Amino acid sequence: MRAEARVVAESDGRGGTRLAVLRGESPLLLRRTGRPAGGGVTVHLVGGAAGPLRGDELRLDVVVGPGARLEMLSVAASLALPGRPAPPSRLTVTASVAAGGTLRWLPEPLIAAAGCDHDVVTRVDVAEGGTLLWRDDLVCGRHREASGAVRADTLIRYAGVALYRHELAVGPGAPGWDGAAVLGGGRAIGTVVAAGPQLPGPPVVGADAASMRLAGPGVLATAVGEDIRQVKAALDPWCGAALAPLALV
Amino acid sequence: MHPELHEHGPDEVPHTHPDPGVDPHTPLAGGPRALRIGIGGPVGSGKTALVAALCRALGEEIRLAVVTNDIYTTEDADFLLRNGVLPAERIRAVETGCCPHTAIRDDISANLDAVEDLEEKLGPLDLVLVESGGDNLTATFSKGLIDQQIFVVDVSGGDKVPRKGGPGVTTADLLVINKTDLAPMVGADLSVMDRDAKARRHELPTVFLSLAEDKQATPVADWIRGLVAARV
Amino acid sequence: MSLATLLLLADGRLPSGGHAHSGGLEPQIAAGRVRDVDGLDGFLRGRLATGGLVSAAFAAAACADTGRAAELDVGLDARTPSPALRRASRAQGRALLRAGRAMWPVPAIGREPHQPVALGALAAAAGLTPVEAAVAAAHGTTTGSASAAVRLLGLDPYAVHALLARLAPECDRIAAVAAARSGDPVDELPAAGAPLLDIGAEHHATWEVRLFAS
């Protein structure tokens, strides 16, 4: 299955945001949800079919214009599944945030079901003066199940310079992914990158969680847990704190 | 440097001269580097207490900084800070990865970086004391790191320590036999230690010290004063 | 190519500050994740596949063209989210340069480059090839932590070296992959991360008592 979706958020010129483009196809279906709040709009990924399955080629492009504010959420976790013998499934997400724009990407976790073979490629460009909150949670296998293979490949640029470049591979074919250097016994990991002129202050606490100042204008918060609840416990409050400035506008 | 080898014209490309036999550390801008004195010795012999005493004795009269190599990293630095003998910016702690002797002898890079950083941050210094982590009688400093070394033993190990020798006792530029006030209690004969030290060390000096009684470590401070004066 | 020169560069006795770094092992031992040779096996395989691959690729790239040192350095900053690990990498790069300058005519690449960039520059100055620089990087990734494990856990040194021998073909494979990609644009070079190493390094940096610098 091939599918493409696109969101373009623009300033409406009155302090609010309008969606110039909101287009998707199954399984990448998009819905504008809730009322405009704080000058921003919220879009949910609502899904539309099981998957991604092997062979799927999915692409989502997000564009946030100057002064626009967009929050992207999803209604449920996405589940990477094995499907028929085929090349790996792939989800490519690109996003650009203009100066004065804000993008908050806070989807539910990706679950790597046993036998899946899935690539996630993320490319985000934030212009100088733009604000980003980008979260990715990954769960390695459903309950009491071996992890499938997922490779996440992320590049976030700020003002044209690589701010955060990270690849994470779990499951079969990823040497040592469950060893003490990568995830240990953990089966869930969450990462949040915050970038922009105003960065969240309070540190993330937890035995297997930390927030770290990046070399560029950003902060990474990471948490590893036995399951997703520990990751959420560490990262949700931090994301909440990071959201506060936007809600006040 | 060997300026006598050729003339330096006003428009030449800036360059330095490799000096055979001299360690290849980056020369510091703005003049000669500080005298570096290593202070080594077994665990518990009183190295840190000696450093504290030297800071008290010399801190007002010369420009001084300290690098510590305790195996527990910042512990010795914290001792110096707590005792208020030197401001925090004049103390650097070096981690040694369970191998205090490696950091002062085989791989001195972290210590050299610490010394360089201190000199860069504080400006010209007269003296940097490099205190080794507590080790054993075989631990000595690399000549690539320090100019002179002091080895500290104490009488509570028994009066046989100088006789046993080892590189520290035999070759250190100054041997300090510490805690002489404890000698009667542990049955150590200081004259035996003196005689054995002379036999082992020939012309190299040995001093007896009781930091409990001499809080300025006078004989050691005087020895250092002489070295600093000789460099100026 | 000179095998003896490569051995010099990869020797753990090279005075380049490596002995004071555990490669992230000390915090994982404290967390109870590494207790024995099996635990070390998993740790080293993960480290080799992540930081080892990245180090090897950047060392190979710096060796192939030392003129890229500055952009490679920025690329490693973006791949090293933990400030503690950035400091550790730069401290080791500085120490490595100090040793290298005494041995070979190393070009000026800054005072405190990331360790893989310094390693690549030394390899180039020593007349070594990018794949040799990559081998030295991958090898150093495993041996440094293995040596720390022997010191911290008192593991049988023969068992640890048996493990290192088993990992040697993987080091070669990683180095070959890294060298093959060494000409890629910096953003496309390997970026495999190890979340527990990042998290552990940040916690470790706050300990009052620690034996290793990182």
Side-chain angles (χ1 to χ4, degrees), chain A residues 157 165 167 182 208-209 213, chain C residues 33 78 86 187 191 193 196 203:
Chain A
R157 285 196 195 87
R165 179 77 181 92
E167 296 166 359
V182 185
D208 294 319
R213 283 300 294 252
Chain C
R33 288 199 179 88
R86 289 198 297 275
D187 280 349
L196 284 179
H203 289 285

Side-chain angles (χ1 to χ4, degrees), chain C residues 48-129:
Chain C
L48 189 55
T50 56
L53 173 62
V54 173
S55 293
F58 278 73
C63 178
D65 180 2
T66 50
R68 291 178 81 195
E71 59 165 329
L72 292 169
D73 209 60
V74 173
L76 282 168
D77 263 352
R79 283 160 178 77
T80 317
S82 154
L85 290 184
R86 289 198 297 275
R87 284 196 299 273
S89 173
R90 292 189 178 283
Q92 291 180 85
R94 176 182 176 184
L96 191 56
L97 273 188
R98 183 192 289 283
R101 280 199 310 265
M103 299 161 80
W104 302 294
V106 182
I109 56 165
R111 168 192 166 91
E112 225 173 35
H114 279 293
Q115 195 270 356
V117 176
L119 182 60
L122 259 66
L128 297 171
T129 62

Side-chain angles (χ1 to χ4, degrees), chain A residues 7-249:
Chain A
V7 187
V8 178
E10 294 175 347
S11 165
D12 65 4
R14 302 187 304 274
T17 298
R18 68 183 181 91
L19 294 176
V21 178
L22 183 67
R23 190 177 67 226
E25 54 189 333
S26 182
L28 289 177
L29 294 172
L30 302 171
R31 294 286 181 273
R32 177 171 180 160
T33 50
R35 295 174 171 200
V41 298
T42 299
V43 170
H44 270 81
L45 277 156
V46 295
L53 285 76
R54 280 187 198 237
D56 286 357
E57 186 74 39
L58 311 175
R59 182 181 176 98
L60 170 62
D61 297 311
V62 180
V63 178
V64 178
R69 297 162 180 276
L70 174 66
E71 178 176 69
M72 299 280 302
L73 306 173
S74 60
V75 295
S78 68
L79 181 64
L81 289 162
R84 64 192 190 287
S89 51
R90 177 195 297 265
L91 169 65
T92 303
V93 181
T94 73
S96 67
V97 182
T102 296
L103 172 61
R104 307 187 318 216
W105 170 264
L106 299 163
E108 294 301 308
L110 168 67
I111 301 171
C116 80
D117 191 9
H118 184 56
D119 286 299
V120 188
V121 178
T122 302
R123 294 289 180 269
V124 182
D125 264 291
V126 185
E128 175 92 54
T131 298
L132 179 75
L133 191 68
W134 192 274
R135 177 161 175 176
D136 282 307
D137 287 2
L138 173 64
V139 178
C140 305
R142 287 170 295 196
H143 188 57
R144 303 168 78 91
E145 174 188 75
S147 182
V150 165
R151 293 163 299 277
D153 172 336
T154 303
L155 170 58
I156 296 174
R157 285 196 195 87
Y158 194 89
V161 179
L163 172 70
Y164 178 68
R165 179 77 181 92
H166 187 79
E167 296 166 359
L168 178 67
V170 303
W177 74 275
D178 54 356
V182 185
L183 295 187
R187 286 296 175 269
I189 168 158
T191 56
V192 194
V193 174
Q198 287 180 311
L199 297 174
V204 170
V205 291
D208 294 319
S211 50
M212 15 197 140
R213 283 300 294 252
L214 302 172
V219 181
L220 168 73
T222 303
V224 173
E226 285 174 29
D227 59 45
I228 194 67
R229 283 170 300 186
Q230 287 157 311
V231 171
K232 284 181 177 295
L235 297 184
D236 285 359
W238 196 76
C239 285
L243 295 184
L246 182 55
L248 291 173
V249 172

